[in-house]
Each structure stands twice: as C-alpha cells, then as structure tokens.
Amino acid sequence: MAVQLGNAVAMRDVFGDTLVRLSQTDPRVYALDGDLATSTKMDKVAEANPSKFLQMGIAEQNMVGVAAGLATVGLQPWVCSFAAFITKRALDQIMVTVAQPKLDVKMIGAYSGLLTGCTGKTHQGLEDLAIMRSIPNMVVLSPADGVEVKKMMEFANQYNGPVYIRLARDPLPTIFDEVSYSFTLGKAIKLKDGEDATIISTGTQTVRSLEAAQTLESRGIRVTVLHMPSVKPIDQAAIVEAAERTGAIVTTEEHTIYGGLGSAVAEVLVENCPVPMLRVAVQDRNSESGSNDALLKKYNIGPENIVHAVEQVLQRKGK
C-alpha cells in the first residue's frame, strides 16, 4: 500500500475521545483510573460522562481486582495506568483474576517504551509486551498511530475477553486512513513492498521503519515494511511469507530486546523458515530519562539504527 504520513496525533488523545464515545454508547463500559487521568487522557471520560468514571487511586492491584469484579456481573471495565505500573504492580491480579477466567477486561498501558516525557526511568515501560504476551488468554496489541488506536478500541469493545493495548505518550505522524483502514486481530499490514529484506515493526517503531526504508531506497536497497499491530496472536503466515520472499528479517520495537516482537518473530522463523535476522530494540540495560532524540540515539533504536541493521543482515544474507 502507498503510505503518506499525515499530521501528528497523540494516541492518548484518541484513546480518551474514543473511550468517552464507548462509555456513552455502551452501557457496559466503565473507565477505571489509577490517579493518572490527566496524563492518560482518561479525564475526558470524567468530564463528559462522570457516572462512568471510577477513580481507583494509586492502587493498581486493587484497580484490577475491582475490574474483575465488574466483569463478572456483565460490565466491561477499561483499566488504564502507565505501562510500567499496570503490567508489573498488578501482574498477579491480571494473571489470576482476569486472564485465568478470561474476563472481559480491557487494559491500557499508557506511556509505554522509552519516550515518556522525562518522567524518569521508573515510569518507562520496556517489558510490557514480554510480560503480557506470556499470559494465556491475553490479546496484546500495539498500534502505530491514532487511527489504529481507535480501530483497536472498537475491536476490543466487541471482543469478549482480556485485551492489552500499548500506547505511546507523544504525537506520532498518522499512517492510516480512517475510512479505509480496518483492524483485524492477528493480521499484519504490509506498508511497503521490497525484495531485498523485510523490516517487521510494531507500535512507535513503524513510523521510524518507514523513514529507514526511505533512506535505504536512496541507497538502492528495497525493503518490505511489515507492521505488526497484533503482537499476540501474531501473523505467522505473513512472517514466513516475508522470510521466504526476501530472505532477511529485521525487527524493531520500542521495548526490551527480550520477549517482545523480536522474540515472537524469531520463534516463528526458527520453527518454520530460518533466515538471517537482527533485532533493533533496547539492549539489556537500564533506561534513563531524557529528550526523545537523546534517548533514541543512546539506546540505538532510531531510523539510522534500523538502516544499519538492514545493511548488516544483507551481508549475512550474502548479497
């Protein structure tokens, strides 16, 4: 598909607006906040539909327990906190009270990844995909732009079971057209076609992958860019097809190198179609707070790092 990047939009703004609409149109939907509503934009629900907004305070374990209770009586709670908090502080409650009985609870990990607005390393969530995709019955989603956030939330509203959606803090260029785009669980989206190698990305790294692809094309290297909005379930067929067709894979994610998208893709390839592969992600080190550009550079996950990885994997391919 031809991609033209549009205006930058913050995922959290789209999340807040969409949750307001869902809370107004679906009597089952309730918003549960962990005292971060002004940051996550859940405060839009508090303002527009206060009877559907439940303030749980800084008590993530209790918040997830309350959500499980609401789900058992036919309601659909949407639980939101920073990714670093909801996936680690409340992990036992998520596993035992939500995922095991497969309750209809939607969990939003806001401020995921490195770029969290200088909040400090305690507020950066780099392990959430690894944690959540290891849990049985859990759907794990990572949108690339605001349009995809809205479409994923509409899907989650209709899906009966636990869903985790990973959101970034800052505005990102729009990739998808709201009219023509539709989200399908477990399906990858090919954004660019090329025969030399494939970049498989998710979330915020998809825009950076498109930038990298443009740089590579100027150097005579044509790559496929495969966006993976559904990390679990993952599109195994699309991964295998890309490996068979291009013979080299680079994965990229704003996440630790362990257990996330790169690990999921490697699992598919080693069992079905082993090819040269490299992963662009945060290496085994603690994160720090800083500006977006400084963090992308220090942790080697910017477009230039994707370009370098593709050039390296092509050497392994023998081109």
Side-chain angles (χ1 to χ4, degrees), residues 197 199 216 221 223 250 306-315:
I199 302 170
L216 288 163
I221 300 170
V223 297
V250 169
I306 302 171
V307 169
H308 182 60
V310 170
E311 292 174 336
Q312 282 187 307
V313 84
L314 285 175
Q315 291 178 5

Side-chain angles (χ1 to χ4, degrees), residues 14-32 41-54 75-78 106 153-154 157-158:
V14 177
F15 163 69
D17 292 337
T18 305
L19 191 56
V20 167
R21 178 170 55 83
L22 292 177
S23 74
Q24 292 171 334
T25 58
D26 187 337
R28 301 174 302 152
V29 170
Y30 279 79
L32 277 64
K41 301 305 179 183
M42 218 179 217
D43 60 345
K44 295 187 178 189
V45 180
E47 295 169 4
N49 196 9
S51 66
K52 290 297 197 74
F53 178 83
L54 302 178
L75 301 178
Q76 187 184 84
W78 288 67
K106 315 308 173 186
M153 291 179 69
E154 291 171 346
N157 178 236
Q158 298 300 314

Side-chain angles (χ1 to χ4, degrees), residues 112-115 126 166 204-205 208 252-256 301:
S112 68
L114 274 175
L115 312 185
L126 293 172
R166 179 184 221 242
T204 55
Q205 288 296 96
R208 296 168 197 140
T252 182
E253 58 199 305
E254 193 181 325
H255 184 271
T256 175
I301 60 170

Side-chain angles (χ1 to χ4, degrees), residues 190-209:
K190 186 184 291 186
L191 297 175
K192 196 175 189 306
D193 207 2
E195 65 281 353
D196 294 326
T198 299
I199 302 170
I200 302 178
S201 61
T202 194
T204 55
Q205 288 296 96
T206 293
V207 165
R208 296 168 197 140
S209 296

